Amino acid sequence: MTTPDSTPAEAADVGDAAAVPAGDGGGDDAPRSLVRDLLGKAWVRAFLALVIILVIGCVFNAGGTFFRWSAHRDMLRQSSVYGILACGMTMVIITGGIDLGVGSVLAAVGVPYSLLMMTYGGSAVWVVPLCLCIGTVCGVWNGFLIGRFRFQAFIATLAMMTFARGFAKYISGGRKVMNASYNPDGTFVYNTTFPEFTEWLNSRVLGNNLAVVTIIMLSCMFVTYLVLGKLTWGRYIYSVGGNEEAARLSGVPVLTTKMLAYGMSGLFCAVAGICQAAQEYQGDPEAGTGYELTAIGMVVIGGTSLAGGRGAIGLTLIGVLTMGYLEKILSLNAVQESSRLMLTAAIIVIAVLFQSSRRK
């Protein structure tokens, strides 16, 4: 503030001081602003969470085991089924929905795959397409109920979760489907060999350094990238998730878009179910229990918004690696399963809170 006795120079100095915000400290706020801008980006937050987990692994390395390639290879293999499920979950969540039935649909596909391939000796040429169709139909039905009859996604997929689990138990008789052959008199014997396609799914390539199921997961992620990033239907998925009513008024086929998103989720469930059955050499009607929560956690930790309209498969990949490494580190350090589950849940909550607190 100037006074009658103030000189023009003094008045100019006062004005310059007033023009500088309090606490600016000249250029001191520039680095802070840069950090805030970086943390405002979903991929930066997701990558930061992954780096923190990797640092923890380096510290608690179980006598150097964490530094061996076999530990990372096994982590990728163990996370592959979850990662495949997360591909479909990413599309569904971007539409503003949720799919609680992925674990049950996985079992509903894994059981008939094992039954037809291992028990009755069917050919992969027709068994695999049939199983893929089962999963896809389950997903499309979810999308139809949600898009046509305005079912809440939670209710529609909860119903599918129950139905698919019952279907898996019905066709398996409530028992695990093992590698056995039925005789004409109704008896069966266990085989010591497995179908060639099943053995291939459970094998490693590139000098025994990478599991086939890991390559399948990466392939599913690439397909998801093409759908979301390169096709018109991908823009429709983002539009529906951002504002469904505005998308409808703009001419976006909302019903077809939701059927596509949930249908893709069902298709990926089928792929995961086949991979799961191949890895375990059996079809378990109880397989996949709780997998939906892991898949959702991977998508959300990656930074995809549960509100819909925002997200990317690249973010989901980071989420898959984050949860996969977390589980592997806890396993290497012989953390009890009960403690492991509680710690994993706590870290998921912290990661989601960090994501939401920094989201613009």
Side-chain angles (χ1 to χ4, degrees), residues 172-184:
S172 66
R175 298 172 296 182
K176 294 180 180 180
V177 178
M178 310 296 288
N179 187 38
S181 297
Y182 284 92
N183 296 320

Side-chain angles (χ1 to χ4, degrees), residues 140-309:
V140 170
W141 177 250
N142 283 335
F144 179 72
L145 290 179
I146 295 167
R148 178 65 180 84
F149 296 105
R150 304 293 182 89
F151 272 50
Q152 291 288 335
F154 179 88
I155 300 300
T157 59
L158 182 63
M160 179 55 68
M161 178 177 71
T162 306
F163 174 82
R165 185 67 65 187
F167 174 76
K169 292 183 177 182
Y170 175 76
I171 63 174
S172 66
R175 298 172 296 182
K176 294 180 180 180
V177 178
M178 310 296 288
N179 187 38
S181 297
Y182 284 92
N183 296 320
D185 60 359
T187 61
F188 60 90
V189 293
Y190 288 101
N191 300 322
T192 56
T193 58
F194 296 91
E196 183 178 350
F197 182 75
T198 299
E199 291 280 18
W200 174 76
L201 285 176
N202 204 30
S203 65
R204 298 193 186 105
V205 294
L206 301 179
N208 206 36
N209 286 314
L210 198 63
V212 170
V213 291
T214 300
I215 296 177
I216 292 175
M217 178 192 71
L218 295 175
S219 301
C220 290
M221 289 186 170
F222 181 69
V223 171
T224 306
Y225 163 75
L226 292 179
V227 173
L228 291 177
K230 300 299 181 181
L231 300 181
T232 302
W233 288 105
R235 293 195 293 271
Y236 288 166
I237 289 175
Y238 282 102
S239 298
V240 170
N243 190 321
E244 182 175 331
E245 188 58 30
R248 180 179 287 106
L249 295 175
S250 300
V252 174
V254 174
L255 172 60
T256 308
T257 300
K258 289 191 174 184
M259 290 175 65
L260 170 68
Y262 284 90
M264 291 295 293
S265 180
L267 174 63
F268 289 132
C269 287
V271 175
I274 293 173
C275 292
Q276 176 91 349
Q279 289 185 91
E280 296 183 349
Y281 290 119
Q282 65 180 16
D284 186 357
E286 297 293 343
T289 302
Y291 282 22
E292 60 277 353
L293 301 180
T294 302
I296 293 171
M298 289 175 169
V299 175
V300 174
I301 285 178
T304 296
S305 173
L306 282 172

